[in-house]
Amino acid sequence: MDFTLGLFLAVVLTGLVWLLDILFFRARRTPEMKESIVVEYARSFFPVLLVVFLIRAFLFEPFQVPSGSMIPTIRVGDFLLVNKFAYGLRLPLIHTELTHGGPVQAGDIMVFRYPKNPRIDYIKRVIGLPGDTIEVKGNDLYINGKLIPQHYIGPFAYRPEGQGDRGMVIPTKEYAQTIGGHTFHIIEFDTPEAHMDFGPYKVPPNCYFMMGDDRDNSNDSRFWGCVPRANIVGKAMFVWFSWDSENWSIRWNQIGRALDGPHN
């Protein structure tokens, strides 16, 4: 079951039990009669559940990164805080947009509901806005016919997920790139056969073109198209916790890091 739906049902159930007790049962209890344990739990948990639900639905929601498509900016095991109102408030569960909020900007890191399966949340970087034309030629990214420069940082020790520090290292290069005022790092495999040409593709209205910072290992808009505005969950803000499951250790250098700049 979706966590938000489960939380909503818990709020409704505890609130209903508490309300029924106030309206019908409390007045019938004599001083000698004890309050039902069900009512006691409902009265205790309802305010807490309601506050948590409202915060998650309209303000901030935690998000755990499940894959390496945003390496080197975001690692597998990073826990992010997602701003739910940055791009406008939406009703929980039905996702109806209530306010527009701030505009989506190229270079933002966005959490969204995967267009092919809206029950799954994805995280990628906004590369193209509505009306932009996107084209990829090998390692080169073009937006509206303009080459987006990338500045070589150095080699990157890339290891496939699940192999830990002792896994095979794939030749990878790290670059810095700037899009929409956001400067960030990307990685690309050092083998021509890993690169894929794409486009030109014009982003439709109310839609966004998304790519991972791990450019050659990202299931993104190059494969399944753009993200409709209705699928937006929120803007990823910073890493509040990071767990390296391969080595059973905390990545202290990741914690508290804002996502508007390059990785540490």
Side-chain angles (χ1 to χ4, degrees), residues 20 34 41 96 205 241:
L20 289 175
K34 290 185 177 180
Y41 278 129
T96 301
F241 185 72

Side-chain angles (χ1 to χ4, degrees), residues 227-241:
V227 174
R229 182 174 178 85
N231 286 48
I232 292 176
V233 173
K235 181 179 181 181
M237 303 299 293
F238 67 90
V239 180
W240 63 269
F241 185 72

Side-chain angles (χ1 to χ4, degrees), residues 10-12 14-16 18 41-51:
V11 170
V12 171
T14 54
L16 185 61
W18 192 17
Y41 278 129
R43 176 171 51 80
S44 300
F45 283 109
F46 172 73
V48 177
L49 292 173
L50 179 61
V51 169

